[in-house]
Amino acid sequence: MTAVSESLIQYERLERLTHKGHSVFFCNGLLRQFLTFLDFQERSFFVSIFNFAQRGKEGGFIMTGRHLIEPRDFTVEELEKIFQLAEQILDAPERFLDACKGKLLATLFYEPSTRTRFSFEAAMLRLGGSIIGFDDPNASSTAKGESLSDTIRTVGAYADAIVMRHPREGSAKLASESSHIPVINAGDGGHQHPTQTLTDLLTIRQEKGRLNNLTIGVCGDLKFGRTIHSLIRAMDRYEGIKFVFVSPEELELPTYVKEEIEQAEYVETRDLEAVMGELDILYMSRVQRERFVSEEEYLRLKDTYILNPEKMELAKEDAMILHPLPRVNEISVEVDKDPRAKYFEQAHYGMIVRMALLMTVLGVKEND
Amino acid sequence: MINVSKLKKGLVIDHIAEGSGYRIFRQLKLDQLEDVVVLMRNVPSQKMGKKDVIKIENHIDLDLEVLGLIDPHATINIVENGNRVKKIRLALPKRVEGILKCKNPRCITQYEKVDAPIFYLSDEESKTYRCSYCDSPTHFQGGE
C-alpha cells in the first residue's frame, strides 16, 4: 500500500508495478497508461489514492490526461467537478472562448454520427481549439488494413486528445491502451456511450436540481441501447435511485447490466402507461435499426412504445422527458410542446458538458 | 495397482477432480518439459472417490491462474528432500490474462490483435468471467 502510493506520487517515473504478485505492468511514465490495465474498481482505488496524495496541489483532483471509456472512469466527485465547470460555461460562455486555443482534437468516427460528432466539434471550436478527423473509415488508413492501435498511435503524434466512435464493443478501451493522449469514447458499438451519460446527468442536475432520490423510467431498446447502459451505471452511484425498465421481452436489459446494479432498486415491466405516474424522469430510446440482423424483427418491435400527449397526461407535473436523439417516432411531435419535454435542451447541455470535459482532460483553464 | 515412487524434489498437483488431470497437463504444456512428469488418473481417494494427480520432478513456475481456473479445488505440494515443505491451495482467479477468449461476435478482440485479453471473475459458482473490453460473459469450459 505504502509502496504503491509512493510510486503513484512519483508517477512520472513509474516504470514497473507488480499487480497481485504475479503480473508486471510497464507504464512508461503516465498514470493514465497504468489505469487502462485495471478494472473499474481497481482504477477507482488507485485514483482515490492518487487524488488523496495530490490533494491541495490541483484542488484535490487529477483529471488532466485521463481517458473516458465508461462513466465510472470518473468518481462521483470528479463528475461533480466537470458539472461545476459546465455550469460556469453555461453562465458565461464568453469567458471560455480561448480556453483551448492551440489545442487540437482528433475526431475518429468509424461509424456514422452527426449529433455526437457535431457536439464535440462545436464544443472544441467554441473553446477556441481546432479539429482534425474523419467520419468515414473508408477514407482513412483503416481501409488499407491499418490496425486500430496503429491509427491511435499515429494520431497521438499529431493531436492533444482523441474522440472516437467505433462499431465494435470495447474498441475505445483498446484504443486507450495504445494512446498517450486522452481517449474519449463517443460510443463503442452497443456497449458504452459515456459522454451521452455526462449529458444526461448534467441535464438532470440542471433541470431537477439534484442527482439523487429519483425514479427513472427507461423505455424502449434496453438491449442494444448503449446510452441506457451507461446511464444506469452512472446513476447507480447516487443515493435513492429507483429504475423502472420498460421494454418488450426481446429488448430487455442484458443480464450483465442488471447484475452490475449495486445500490439502486429496479423493476421491469412491459407496461409504460401503468408506471407513468411514478416517474420523475422518463428516458425514451430509439429502437436502433442498425443493431438488428433481421429487418422483420426490427419492424415488429420499433413501434412498441410511442410517447404521445395521452400518455403524458398520466405523468407527474414535474416529470422530465429525456431522449438521447435522434428520435424516429417513439415520441410524437406533439409532445415537443410540453414543457416537460427536455430533449432539445439536453442536446445543448451535451455540447456544454463536452466543453467542460475537453477542458478537464486537456488541463486548460478559462481565458486569462 | 501401479506404484509411482515418492518424489525427492518437485511439485505434486494433488486433489485434481477426476478427468481434469489431462486438461491441466495440456493447458500447462507439461508435455514440453524435459523433466520427469507423471500424470496419474483415477487414483483412489478417500475424500473424492477418484482423483487425478500430477507429479513433476523439478520446481517449475506453474501458472496458478490456469490451474485455479480448471480446478480451484486442487492443491499443490512443494517437495524438498522427500518432504512436503509447502502446500498451496488454489482458488478461482479474480482476473485472468491471456487464457480466455471473448465469444461476443461484436467485441473488438475478434477483429484486432490483443496479445493477452484480460477477463474478470463475475460469478464464482458458474465460473463466469467478463471480457475487460466489452463486458460480455464467458464461461470457462476448460477447453480454451
Side-chain angles (χ1 to χ4, degrees):
Chain A
M1 175 85 171
T2 310
V4 166
S5 59
E6 280 172 6
S7 298
L8 284 169
I9 292 166
Q10 299 171 29
Y11 74 105
E12 295 277 341
R13 300 184 56 76
L14 191 67
E15 284 184 2
R16 288 166 68 115
L17 270 178
T18 55
H19 176 71
K20 292 181 183 169
H22 51 83
S23 297
V24 178
F25 296 116
F26 294 87
C27 287
N28 297 330
L30 294 172
L31 174 67
R32 62 172 174 269
Q33 286 178 321
F34 170 64
L35 293 175
T36 59
F37 289 99
L38 307 177
D39 70 4
F40 85 95
Q41 282 169 329
E42 293 167 323
R43 209 154 46 218
S44 305
F45 172 70
F46 280 106
V47 167
S48 61
I49 291 178
F50 190 74
N51 280 335
F52 180 75
Q54 291 287 325
R55 201 148 288 187
K57 198 173 167 188
E58 276 197 25
F61 296 89
I62 291 286
M63 295 164 78
T64 306
R66 296 257 297 273
H67 304 300
L68 176 61
I69 308 304
E70 61 126 314
R72 292 179 304 190
D73 285 340
F74 290 144
T75 64
V76 168
E77 293 77 19
E78 287 169 338
L79 288 181
E80 185 53 29
K81 279 277 190 198
I82 294 175
F83 298 146
Q84 284 169 6
L85 178 57
E87 210 165 24
Q88 290 174 28
I89 299 171
L90 274 168
D91 289 346
E94 68 283 357
R95 278 170 44 206
F96 299 88
L97 291 174
D98 292 325
C100 283
K101 197 172 178 183
K103 298 286 182 187
L104 187 57
L105 176 69
T107 56
L108 314 184
F109 279 72
Y110 291 85
E111 199 180 48
S113 155
T114 337
R115 234 157 282 272
T116 308
R117 187 166 60 87
F118 280 2
S119 180
F120 266 111
E121 292 183 356
M124 193 58 176
L125 294 172
R126 282 180 181 275
L127 292 168
S130 311
I131 299 153
I132 51 169
F134 58 80
D135 58 1
D136 175 8
N138 295 323
S140 74
S141 297
T142 310
K144 298 175 192 162
E146 186 179 52
S147 72
L148 178 61
S149 304
D150 283 3
T151 304
I152 295 295
R153 281 195 189 97
T154 310
V155 172
Y158 312 142
D160 298 296
I162 291 171
V163 170
M164 190 181 95
R165 169 168 289 189
H166 196 285
R168 304 291 169 217
E169 297 174 10
S171 51
K173 182 168 178 356
L174 184 69
S176 71
E177 289 171 1
S178 326
S179 180
H180 69 279
I181 60 172
V183 172
I184 298 171
N185 183 8
D188 57 339
H191 188 221
Q192 295 285 336
H193 193 354
T195 61
Q196 180 63 48
T197 306
L198 296 195
T199 304
D200 301 338
L201 265 60
L202 180 66
T203 310
I204 296 169
R205 185 183 180 276
Q206 296 305 111
E207 297 288 330
K208 279 278 174 199
R210 65 181 193 279
L211 284 165
N212 53 12
N213 299 320
L214 293 163
T215 299
I216 305 172
V218 191
C219 177
D221 177 2
L222 310 191
K223 184 178 179 185
F224 297 113
R226 60 189 167 198
T227 59
I228 286 167
H229 303 170
S230 291
L231 178 72
I232 293 166
R233 275 188 173 183
M235 289 305 297
D236 183 38
R237 300 191 297 182
Y238 295 90
E239 278 182 17
I241 298 298
K242 183 181 174 189
F243 290 112
V244 180
F245 300 132
V246 189
S247 73
E249 193 181 350
E250 297 85 344
L251 296 175
E252 268 183 7
L253 197 68
T255 311
Y256 81 84
V257 182
K258 282 186 259 182
E259 280 174 1
E260 281 177 2
I261 298 174
E262 289 176 359
Q263 196 170 269
E265 286 176 48
Y266 70 86
V267 289
E268 293 180 281
T269 178
R270 313 255 171 265
D271 189 349
L272 177 60
E273 287 171 18
V275 296
M276 273 304 280
E278 296 170 31
L279 308 176
D280 297 309
I281 295 162
L282 173 59
Y283 196 97
M284 293 294 293
S285 69
R286 175 173 65 99
V287 175
Q288 302 171 85
R289 175 179 248 147
E290 61 273 26
R291 308 272 173 235
F292 280 84
V293 180
S294 148
E295 178 74 4
E296 207 173 288
E297 179 94 336
Y298 164 72
L299 292 172
R300 188 170 63 78
L301 294 170
K302 76 181 177 71
D303 295 333
T304 314
Y305 301 104
I306 295 176
L307 185 64
N308 53 26
E310 291 73 50
K311 288 199 184 87
M312 285 302 291
E313 279 177 24
L314 304 170
K316 283 184 183 176
E317 269 182 29
D318 63 345
M320 185 164 80
I321 309 301
L322 298 179
H323 190 300
L325 303 178
R327 131 184 88 172
V328 183
N329 60 347
E330 57 279 0
I331 301 180
S332 69
V333 287
E334 292 85 5
V335 176
D336 297 356
K337 287 176 276 183
D338 193 307
R340 294 170 292 182
K342 297 290 183 192
Y343 28 90
F344 291 113
E345 282 92 331
Q346 199 179 350
H348 180 63
Y349 286 125
M351 181 188 70
I352 300 291
V353 85
R354 287 179 176 102
M355 289 168 79
L357 174 67
L358 288 171
M359 283 184 65
T360 303
V361 299
L362 290 170
V364 297
K365 303 265 183 273
E366 63 186 281
N367 308 346
D368 293 328
Chain B
M1 181 78 181
I2 304 166
N3 280 322
V4 176
S5 62
K6 212 175 160 188
L7 262 187
K8 285 219 169 69
K9 181 188 174 186
L11 301 171
V12 180
I13 309 171
D14 202 355
H15 304 110
I16 303 170
E18 180 191 357
S20 293
Y22 181 61
R23 278 198 291 174
I24 290 176
F25 189 90
R26 212 178 49 202
Q27 288 279 348
L28 295 178
K29 300 189 172 93
L30 298 181
D31 56 327
Q32 293 173 16
L33 286 181
E34 293 195 358
D35 308 294
V36 176
V37 182
V38 180
L39 165 62
M40 293 186 279
R41 302 185 64 186
N42 305 323
V43 179
S45 159
Q46 279 190 340
K47 273 189 198 165
M48 302 168 69
K50 281 181 184 174
K51 65 178 180 180
D52 292 358
V53 178
I54 296 173
K55 292 188 177 190
I56 305 162
E57 200 180 47
N58 197 358
H59 290 167
I60 60 161
D61 279 335
L62 286 177
D63 188 335
L64 299 181
E65 279 183 6
V66 172
L67 266 174
L69 253 186
I70 301 174
D71 191 347
H73 305 296
T75 54
I76 300 165
N77 297 318
I78 299 173
V79 180
E80 285 280 3
N81 300 320
N83 297 315
R84 185 175 76 192
V85 292
K86 197 176 175 190
K87 183 173 185 171
I88 301 169
R89 288 186 191 284
L90 293 170
L92 213 51
K94 295 262 184 285
R95 175 184 189 278
V96 294
E97 196 174 332
I99 300 165
L100 301 176
K101 199 174 178 313
C102 188
K103 294 186 174 72
N104 172 9
R106 298 178 300 275
C107 180
I108 188 69
T109 57
Q110 309 280 359
Y111 301 87
E112 297 270 336
K113 193 173 175 298
V114 177
D115 287 338
I118 296 167
F119 284 75
Y120 295 98
L121 182 64
S122 71
D123 186 54
E124 232 165 284
E125 209 167 296
S126 59
K127 283 193 180 181
T128 304
Y129 283 82
R130 295 208 177 279
C131 171
S132 67
Y133 292 95
C134 73
D135 289 311
S136 292
T138 293
H139 301 277
F140 180 70
Q141 306 294 335
E144 265 86 356

